């Protein structure tokens, strides 16, 4: 995908939307010095260009009883494209996997997983890692505190 040319107004609009995607065009326009219609046109262009991928609600894990977060490093038995693709599909099908990265180093994948409790994580880890012949090794760290969680990107 070609990176679209973004000017300072686009970046200012994106900053507003990253802070709160429900911010109306009139409010954004007042902050960046554009009319609401101009803001709406720019947002439409940013969506169509793929700069804005998705607009979602951010939920509180604690309010939903999802009190445990785990960081899991996964080392695959072999790095064939087929094995990696199968694992990617398995990860995509698991709602408790919040993030997954294909990484360099000793591990092949780094996962951030959220579960209700240790019993739920044990069931997940058996399904994804223990019973999976393509997984050589995995290590798990339990998050003690959610210091910073987000997907906002630096726009400066």
């Amino acid at each position: 995908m070609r990176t679209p040319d973004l000017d300072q107004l686009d970046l200012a609009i994106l900053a507003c939307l990253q802070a709160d995607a429900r911010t109306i065009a009139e409010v954004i326009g007042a902050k960046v010095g554009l009319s609401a219609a101009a803001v709406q046109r720019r947002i439409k262009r940013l969506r169509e260009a793929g700069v804005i991928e998705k607009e979602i609600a951010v939920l509180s894990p604690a309010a939903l009883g999802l009190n445990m977060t785990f960081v899991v490093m996964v080392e695959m038995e072999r790095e064939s494209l087929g094995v990696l693709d199968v694992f990617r599909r398995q990860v995509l099908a698991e709602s408790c996997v919040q993030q997954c990265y294909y990484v360099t180093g000793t591990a092949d994948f780094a996962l951030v997983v959220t579960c209700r409790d240790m019993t739920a994580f044990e069931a997940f880890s058996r399904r994804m890692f223990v019973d999976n012949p393509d997984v050589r090794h995995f290590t798990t760290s339990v998050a003690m505190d959610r210091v910073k969680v987000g997907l906002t990107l630096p726009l400066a």
Side-chain angles (χ1 to χ4, degrees), residues 42-94:
R42 283 175 178 259
I43 291 172
K44 181 177 190 262
R45 180 178 51 80
L46 292 165
R47 286 180 183 134
E48 289 170 351
V51 175
I52 298 173
E53 290 183 355
K54 192 183 288 191
E55 295 164 69
I56 61 168
V58 177
L59 308 179
S60 165
L64 297 169
L66 298 166
N67 298 313
M68 300 197 73
T69 301
F70 307 86
V71 178
V72 186
M73 303 304 289
V74 182
E75 185 180 346
M76 304 306 289
E77 193 60 50
R78 56 194 178 283
E79 278 196 64
S80 73
L81 290 179
V83 167
L84 298 176
D85 287 343
V86 167
F87 188 77
R88 283 182 178 108
R89 284 193 299 276
Q90 290 171 327
V91 164
L92 290 169
E94 290 285 344

Side-chain angles (χ1 to χ4, degrees), residues 1-148:
M1 175 192 334
R2 184 176 102 58
T3 304
D5 295 326
L6 302 176
D7 63 20
Q8 289 304 312
L9 291 171
D10 291 327
L11 295 176
I13 291 167
L14 290 169
C16 290
L17 292 174
Q18 277 196 132
D20 184 354
R22 296 182 307 168
T23 306
I24 60 174
E26 289 80 6
V27 171
I28 295 172
K31 287 182 179 179
V32 303
L34 290 173
S35 69
V39 169
Q40 289 170 333
R41 283 191 300 275
R42 283 175 178 259
I43 291 172
K44 181 177 190 262
R45 180 178 51 80
L46 292 165
R47 286 180 183 134
E48 289 170 351
V51 175
I52 298 173
E53 290 183 355
K54 192 183 288 191
E55 295 164 69
I56 61 168
V58 177
L59 308 179
S60 165
L64 297 169
L66 298 166
N67 298 313
M68 300 197 73
T69 301
F70 307 86
V71 178
V72 186
M73 303 304 289
V74 182
E75 185 180 346
M76 304 306 289
E77 193 60 50
R78 56 194 178 283
E79 278 196 64
S80 73
L81 290 179
V83 167
L84 298 176
D85 287 343
V86 167
F87 188 77
R88 283 182 178 108
R89 284 193 299 276
Q90 290 171 327
V91 164
L92 290 169
E94 290 285 344
S95 63
C96 61
V97 177
Q98 302 302 292
Q99 296 179 47
C100 175
Y101 300 93
Y102 180 48
V103 298
T104 62
T106 56
D108 297 304
F109 291 94
L111 283 66
V112 177
V113 179
T114 300
C115 291
R116 185 167 302 285
D117 53 30
M118 193 59 83
T119 302
F121 179 74
E122 182 182 8
F124 164 79
S125 63
R126 283 188 186 280
R127 195 170 55 249
M128 285 295 293
F129 314 127
V130 176
D131 296 339
N132 186 338
D134 292 325
V135 172
R136 176 181 303 148
H137 180 75
F138 71 99
T139 57
T140 302
S141 296
V142 179
M144 301 294 289
D145 186 17
R146 292 170 46 101
V147 177
K148 181 178 181 181

